[in-house]
Amino acid sequence: MGVSEEEYVNFQKAWFQELRHAGYAVPHWPREWGGGLTVGQQMVLYQELAAHDAPRLTLAFVAIHHAASTLLAAGTDEQRRRHLPAILDGEIWCQGFSEPEAGSDLASLRTSARRKGDVYVVNGQKLWASGANHADWCLLLARTDPDAPKRHGISYFLMDMHAPGVDVRPIRQATGQSHFCEMFLTDVIIPASQLVGRENAGWQIAQTTLGAERGMVMLELAERLGNAGFKWLLQACVRPTPDGERPIDDSLVADRLAGFETEITALRFLCRRLVERNDEGRGGPADASVVKLYYSELLQRMMGFGADVSGLAAHAELEKPLSSGWESGAWVLDFIGSWEWTIPAGTSEIQRNIIGERGLGLPREPGVQ
Amino acid sequence: MGVSEEEYVNFQKAWFQELRHAGYAVPHWPREWGGGLTVGQQMVLYQELAAHDAPRLTLAFVAIHHAASTLLAAGTDEQRRRHLPAILDGEIWCQGFSEPEAGSDLASLRTSARRKGDVYVVNGQKLWASGANHADWCLLLARTDPDAPKRHGISYFLMDMHAPGVDVRPIRQATGQSHFCEMFLTDVIIPASQLVGRENAGWQIAQTTLGAERGMVMLELAERLGNAGFKWLLQACVRPTPDGERPIDDSLVADRLAGFETEITALRFLCRRLVERNDEGRGGPADASVVKLYYSELLQRMMGFGADVSGLAAHAELEKPLSSGWESGAWVLDFIGSWEWTIPAGTSEIQRNIIGERGLGLPREPGVQ
Amino acid sequence: MTSDLASVHDELRTVARDVLGAVRTRTAGSVPAPVEWSVLAELGWLGLEVPEHCAGAGASLGEVAVILQEMGRAATSSSYLGSVVLGVGALNLLGAARERDELLHGIATGGLRVAVVVPTAQAEVASAETPFRVESSGGRFRLDGQASFVPDAIDADRFLVLARDQSGDVVMVVLGRATPGLSVSEQPLLDATRRFGQLRADAVEGAQSALLRFEADPATSVQHLADRGALAIACDSLGLAEAMMEATAAYARVRYQFGRPIGSFQAVKHACADMLVQIEVSRELVGAAIDAMVRNDPDLGIAVSMAKAHVTGAAVGIVGKAMQLHGGIGYTWESGIHTYLKRALLNRSLFGSPRAHRKRLARRYLSVGTNEIAGSRALS
Amino acid sequence: MTSDLASVHDELRTVARDVLGAVRTRTAGSVPAPVEWSVLAELGWLGLEVPEHCAGAGASLGEVAVILQEMGRAATSSSYLGSVVLGVGALNLLGAARERDELLHGIATGGLRVAVVVPTAQAEVASAETPFRVESSGGRFRLDGQASFVPDAIDADRFLVLARDQSGDVVMVVLGRATPGLSVSEQPLLDATRRFGQLRADAVEGAQSALLRFEADPATSVQHLADRGALAIACDSLGLAEAMMEATAAYARVRYQFGRPIGSFQAVKHACADMLVQIEVSRELVGAAIDAMVRNDPDLGIAVSMAKAHVTGAAVGIVGKAMQLHGGIGYTWESGIHTYLKRALLNRSLFGSPRAHRKRLARRYLSVGTNEIAGSRALS
């Protein structure tokens, strides 16, 4: 990859501070903590950022989204005061949820946190921790009651990544980049004050904060796809190929583009509705899954189409522009990168289970909790 | 429907005799019983029949295919001598397998056959017996051992449809026609000599004869789809619409047609290979399911495309031509009729289970036998 | 949408679901009986968009859309498309005039049914050939032409025929049922819940006063009318898709095979999940198109084409899957799923196929700079 | 196919699977090391289609196809496409001549690698612009032009450049690597198992004897060569799709989640079943195209386009699904699935996209009467 890790981190941190001072880094946070834009205003902001091809805040992503929404929903006042301003000052977060044997079946995680006095001692292995090699803090799920049913013995912690016993190793991905990491935890000490919510209530906290969170994230991503992604796809179709023809003049290509524009338009409305419903406390139990599934598969189909239409030339694009996000116009890489949306945070298969069960009341599989 | 049931039956019987005298009614039977064409010769025959738009043998279908292959594979000499020549003389057969509570889960059938001396007394209800209202005989699955595990207590019978206690009621289908029937069986007496194979071995017989059988049927249907079906679809695309444009001039339509032609070509090769492999005893355990699934979904996609391309005019086609088979050029009806392929004789979902389990060794669902 | 309007819609929806659902349930097997016209009049659904001075409610397409969606859900048989969607829609595009107001009053009060003779096979009608020609002279006109697939022509008392006059403008000719030279015949379709007709005018003559003109540009008006038709059909498809999703999920919860409810198998569960996703997406597109039409947004054609293309296509997929997941039962006449499938298929073809609507959308990619397109559908 | 030939193929396949599979396994992680050229020579795979008098086996594309499929299966890195598929293929289209026979001999014995400079981006090359021009005079020629995406150009000792001469015919110019005016540069692609190059000829000069002519009609010959390329890629995609299906089924049998092997869930099981169906279908199309090419069937272009269009498209779907069903592991570099995905994607674009090949098929619908088409692909 053309850009070194150091350049990437420095660039992201500088860009975060620039946005922060303009008041645009955390528009979705409550006003008292430094945010306070309405949903409509956020959409306009994201449209503008996308239209100007502004880089996305990938490094701060977990901090401003997952960490913040967890703290706001379930953290103590002290935890909020400790971390929310620090995030604005540049504190980086990662998420320690998945494990080698706990992927789709996240609730079967084995990392243990044993209470000893007023600390927990943590041992185990985490996987797919995005950005863990740059993170200061980690949202950690660990088992505090090995005898309880799977989902009932898990607790939610804030873990200092600089604590002794935390060992991080980057994993190289299909795209060639290394955003994900493995994390080996050996007798890591976490003070009990860094427990979020009640002991053994971690599963519930993770579920609700993740669901509520998703809308915010999707709002930005949908605007990005609609404004930057579709524009680049259209440009790829209008650009003449080596034999002098423009893909757009093939009515099949034009038809597919019209289909994508329609779907993106629907996605954008859907994301807005999701956030609004959530704000009004009328969110449906499958809302977040519907949007995540639809976005990720639409992204994958669009990027695949971009790769197809661009022909051989797209294979010679060996890297994506700095901080471009999911769609960058390097279509083959974009297509491969789209699996980063259909697999993590609940695969598309798991999302369909959730939608069928929570959205339509269909029965679970027998024997599967 | 424009044609009365009586006209249909008379026409089918006359056409069968015409083909029989030409030597083309049962080309797939062994030479000693009146058939004996090679696979290659059969394909040519079916191509010719399709190219000339010759009606399909829908009324004799179960007799010449399922009944004959069952008798040849598992019947006694006496049963063969009794029925195979009679089928050539016009004996009509139907199949009594499914029941209201035993659809996809066929093995859970409840119709009982209790042995009393040298007869069985049969009680129960059968569903989806195609052509039962015209049939002389029925291939019947009934439970002879209620205490055995589901698949181990079923026997296979030849039942006289004129026996007392057999009550047949046609079911109207989505297309408006009534090819399927319900069958109520009340104390129907079946002589023990009409048992096929061993008592309680019915499930195995049904599975093997159906699998082996499917290739033959598909050989004809694939040639029909390739020769008549595709030709009609092409004609529908070349015919100008009311606004003077030809669908084929839309490159998207031409692209879809090329895709269909490719898939049909593959299907035809696949069917031939299936029959050849079977003849050589090298058939794979999922072969029949692969072909049934692929044919039925290809048929459905093609008919759906025909309906789309033909616009409003296709909705004013209120009936299909006499004995046209699955594709007739009345596209909306053809499309609706295509569910008669994706649902019966193992739904597409069941076929995918079989392919995954038998073809790729994937494990069954726990608790499902 | 204000929360006041939302609660009006909720009320309207509740009543409509009751009334239309009851008709559907009463209807033996799957043969749909038409809903009584007088009932629709009493409920005030015929005059929703009719101005108050013509005995209407002076409401908007937003309210009509609620009824349309519920009619799709119950696969209702009625002349609502002909008289209300197209009839009132067409008359509202004319300048105020006594003839027009009388017709609107007649429709609103239930005494009069009309059929509008506008092309129903295309997405874009403004540039299409008009199949009727009208020539005026000496205070009289003469009309010639013919049309197929005219919605609700059989039950209509009056016909509003769009025809091109000598100057090339499209005008509306109002004809009574018994006009000499006018012949109307039923055109039976597989979808038995709809009634279409063929109409033929052979040297039909009449007084010039029966010839009405659009208030705005005629071509724009005619396209607007076709867009109303397309959007109405999209509402219908959304409603019928919802009904099929709910029926399928309900069946999957109670039908047991292999000792389990079939809805616990992923093949069924995931197919139902995909239905829900498609319906959520469809709702947004239909909602956006209704908003655009109510606001008379200059981009309303785009919103309508997006909705018509996506929703009517998705609905065919949903009903087809519903038939599949119901198994053998779903393929019977008695289950009634075929009624929905035929209606969904007809909807896909009416007022322009998905392909035709995407073609209309795609034309912008050729004629407009790329920067202008991206973000053109910014949300209000 | 005779049963003799079938058993030859079975043997060849077994050896190839062993040899290539071992190279793949030895290769650390997913970074593919090229298979040793001398090994391929020793195994006799380079000269399969080379006439016996040039040290070849005098076999056919049927045998080469077995190797190609296994190379796809093992995601083998080699110059087989450049030297054997295109090189031997192109040379066999020339009239017998000393120069030609020497080149064939060199390839068969492993001493010489060639790259053929033929368009690799299109399905139909006969009518396309040729990017090279050659002019002859006085026993010398002069060549100008440039090309991208030339397979295996980096490792080639000789280049066989297709160029248009003064009379408009396409001829083959044979150039050594060190020819003045000729520059070759590597063109790195995401698929690290393939090596492509850019080639530029600036007033390259040489003796007329390096200018060879096709035996048959030049346009037909060039198209035949492109069809060979397309078919070779289809074989490759079939092989890699098979590998991914098997890897996914194997993983689904042993990976447990929710206390069950994931292959017992229908979402996984049905996706694997669809892979198997697509692979069965693909095998038939590839097999038919190989037969057509071996028999030099006049319709071979149709068979090739069907195979290339369907198989390379299906393979992308299969590898993508393999990545999905492997979950997080599938997305790691280490799993190597990305290697297959990039290769499958490149295959889809090489020698004409599925769309381009279907366009070629569809042209027949316009120019030929409908009766002639149906049944044109009757089976032998």
Side-chain angles (χ1 to χ4, degrees), chain A residues 106-128:
Chain A
L106 181 60
S108 70
L109 61 86
R110 297 179 190 172
T111 293
S112 69
R114 279 175 300 111
R115 177 110 189 196
K116 284 201 174 171
D118 53 2
V119 303
Y120 289 86
V121 182
V122 179
N123 281 282
Q125 185 184 351
K126 290 288 174 183
L127 211 56
W128 317 127

Side-chain angles (χ1 to χ4, degrees), chain A residues 101-356:
Chain A
E101 298 303 318
S104 287
D105 185 11
L106 181 60
S108 70
L109 61 86
R110 297 179 190 172
T111 293
S112 69
R114 279 175 300 111
R115 177 110 189 196
K116 284 201 174 171
D118 53 2
V119 303
Y120 289 86
V121 182
V122 179
N123 281 282
Q125 185 184 351
K126 290 288 174 183
L127 211 56
W128 317 127
S130 176
N133 46 342
H134 305 301
D136 304 302
W137 286 85
C138 173
L139 301 169
L140 184 81
L141 287 182
R143 191 164 298 284
T144 34
D145 182 352
D147 301 322
K150 277 162 68 176
R151 301 180 182 203
H152 296 101
I154 296 170
S155 298
Y156 200 122
F157 294 97
L158 313 176
M159 180 176 75
D160 185 343
M161 290 293 284
H162 307 294
V166 178
D167 180 18
V168 174
R169 299 179 203 167
I171 303 168
R172 199 171 180 198
Q173 302 146 228
T175 52
Q177 299 162 308
S178 300
H179 291 154
F180 290 112
C181 300
E182 280 182 296
M183 226 157 58
F184 297 88
L185 307 175
T186 314
D187 291 334
V188 178
I189 303 295
I190 302 183
S193 61
Q194 286 164 217
L195 175 70
V196 180
R198 284 187 304 98
E199 193 177 78
N200 296 329
W203 179 260
Q204 203 47 45
I205 295 170
Q207 289 298 306
T208 50
T209 59
L210 282 180
E213 175 49 34
R214 189 151 287 150
M216 301 293 181
V217 176
M218 298 310 304
L219 204 61
E220 180 193 353
L221 292 175
E223 290 305 321
R224 180 68 64 160
L225 196 62
N227 287 280
F230 184 72
K231 190 172 71 179
W232 287 327
L233 189 60
L234 189 52
Q235 279 168 355
C237 294
V238 169
R239 203 179 300 135
T241 58
D243 57 7
E245 290 175 25
R246 302 189 315 162
I248 191 87
D249 293 324
D250 181 351
S251 75
L252 189 146
V253 170
D255 184 83
R256 292 290 301 276
L257 279 178
F260 286 128
E261 191 192 4
T262 302
E263 292 196 77
I264 295 172
T265 302
L267 173 73
R268 292 165 68 194
F269 282 115
L270 204 54
C271 289
R272 177 175 188 161
R273 182 98 49 228
L274 168 60
V275 174
E276 284 173 347
R277 277 205 293 237
N278 235 338
D279 286 357
E280 295 164 11
R282 298 187 299 115
D287 279 5
S289 291
V290 167
V291 171
K292 197 256 187 183
L293 177 65
Y294 195 63
Y295 168 75
S296 57
E297 299 200 339
L298 174 56
L299 178 75
Q300 196 158 82
R301 281 186 283 122
M302 260 179 82
M303 303 303 106
F305 178 71
D308 198 1
V309 150
S310 305
L312 288 175
H315 294 269
E317 301 265 4
L318 303 183
E319 57 192 56
K320 294 169 72 147
L322 184 66
S323 313
S324 59
W326 304 107
E327 62 281 326
S328 72
W331 301 109
V332 175
L333 277 175
D334 288 341
F335 181 51
I336 295 169
S338 71
W339 270 266
E340 209 165 314
W341 263 98
T342 57
I343 294 173
T347 63
S348 297
E349 291 74 22
I350 295 293
Q351 302 302 339
R352 288 192 167 86
N353 277 351
I354 294 173
I355 295 168

Side-chain angles (χ1 to χ4, degrees), chain D residues 249-278:
Chain D
Y251 184 73
R253 286 191 290 264
V254 300
R255 166 77 172 172
Y256 274 66
Q257 290 282 274
F258 304 104
R260 295 164 48 176
I262 62 170
S264 70
F265 287 101
Q266 284 184 329
V268 176
K269 185 179 292 176
H270 289 192
C272 288
D274 285 334
M275 289 184 188
L276 181 57
V277 171
Q278 280 304 320

Side-chain angles (χ1 to χ4, degrees), chain B residues 43-44 47 223 226-228 230-231 234-235 238 246 248-249 251-252 254-259 261-263 265-270 272-273 277 286-287 289-290 293-294 297 348-357 359-366, chain D residues 245-246 248-250 252-253 260-266 268-278 280-285 287-288 302 305-307 309-310 354-355 357-359 361-362 364-366 369-371 373-380:
Chain B
M43 291 190 72
V44 173
Q47 283 165 20
E223 289 306 321
N227 287 281
F230 184 72
K231 190 172 71 179
L234 190 51
Q235 280 167 355
V238 168
R246 302 189 315 162
I248 191 85
D249 294 324
S251 75
L252 188 146
D255 183 83
R256 292 290 302 275
L257 279 178
E261 191 193 2
T262 302
E263 292 197 78
T265 302
L267 172 72
R268 292 166 67 195
F269 283 114
L270 205 54
R272 177 175 188 161
R273 182 100 46 228
R277 278 205 293 236
D287 280 5
S289 291
V290 168
L293 177 65
Y294 194 62
E297 298 199 338
S348 298
E349 290 75 20
I350 295 293
Q351 302 302 339
R352 287 192 169 86
N353 276 352
I354 294 173
I355 295 168
E357 290 165 14
L360 290 167
L362 296 176
R364 312 188 79 108
E365 304 234 7
Chain D
M245 173 181 73
E246 290 165 18
T248 305
R253 286 191 290 264
R260 295 164 48 176
I262 62 170
S264 70
F265 287 101
Q266 284 184 329
V268 176
K269 185 179 292 176
H270 289 192
C272 288
D274 285 334
M275 289 184 188
L276 181 57
V277 171
Q278 280 304 320
E280 292 274 358
V281 164
S282 296
R283 264 186 211 135
E284 296 303 329
L285 292 170
I302 296 168
S305 279
M306 284 186 173
H310 194 90
R355 170 79 188 104
H357 281 279
R358 283 194 295 268
K359 207 167 189 172
L361 294 171
R364 294 144 62 232
Y365 309 145
L366 296 170
T370 60
N371 276 324
I373 284 181
S376 76
R377 304 273 321 131
L379 299 152
S380 57

Side-chain angles (χ1 to χ4, degrees), chain A residues 43 47 223 226-228 230-231 234-235 238 246 248-249 251-252 254-259 261-263 265-270 272-273 277 286-287 289-290 293-294 297 348-357 359-366, chain C residues 245-246 248-250 252-253 260-266 268-278 280-285 288 302 305-307 309-310 354-355 357-359 361-362 364-366 369-371 373-380:
Chain A
M43 291 189 71
Q47 283 165 22
E223 290 305 321
N227 287 280
F230 184 72
K231 190 172 71 179
L234 189 52
Q235 279 168 355
V238 169
R246 302 189 315 162
I248 191 87
D249 293 324
S251 75
L252 189 146
D255 184 83
R256 292 290 301 276
L257 279 178
E261 191 192 4
T262 302
E263 292 196 77
T265 302
L267 173 73
R268 292 165 68 194
F269 282 115
L270 204 54
R272 177 175 188 161
R273 182 98 49 228
R277 277 205 293 237
D287 279 5
S289 291
V290 167
L293 177 65
Y294 195 63
E297 299 200 339
S348 297
E349 291 74 22
I350 295 293
Q351 302 302 339
R352 288 192 167 86
N353 277 351
I354 294 173
I355 295 168
E357 290 165 15
L360 290 167
L362 296 177
R364 313 187 79 108
E365 305 234 6
Chain C
M245 173 182 73
E246 289 165 18
T248 305
R253 286 192 290 263
R260 293 163 50 175
I262 61 170
S264 70
F265 287 100
Q266 284 184 329
V268 176
K269 184 179 293 175
H270 289 192
C272 289
D274 285 333
M275 289 184 186
L276 181 57
V277 172
Q278 280 304 322
E280 293 274 359
V281 164
S282 296
R283 264 187 210 136
E284 297 303 328
L285 291 171
I302 295 169
S305 280
M306 284 186 173
H310 194 90
R355 171 78 187 105
H357 281 279
R358 282 194 295 267
K359 208 167 188 170
L361 294 171
R364 295 144 60 233
Y365 309 145
L366 297 170
T370 60
N371 276 324
I373 284 181
S376 77
R377 303 275 320 132
L379 298 151
S380 59

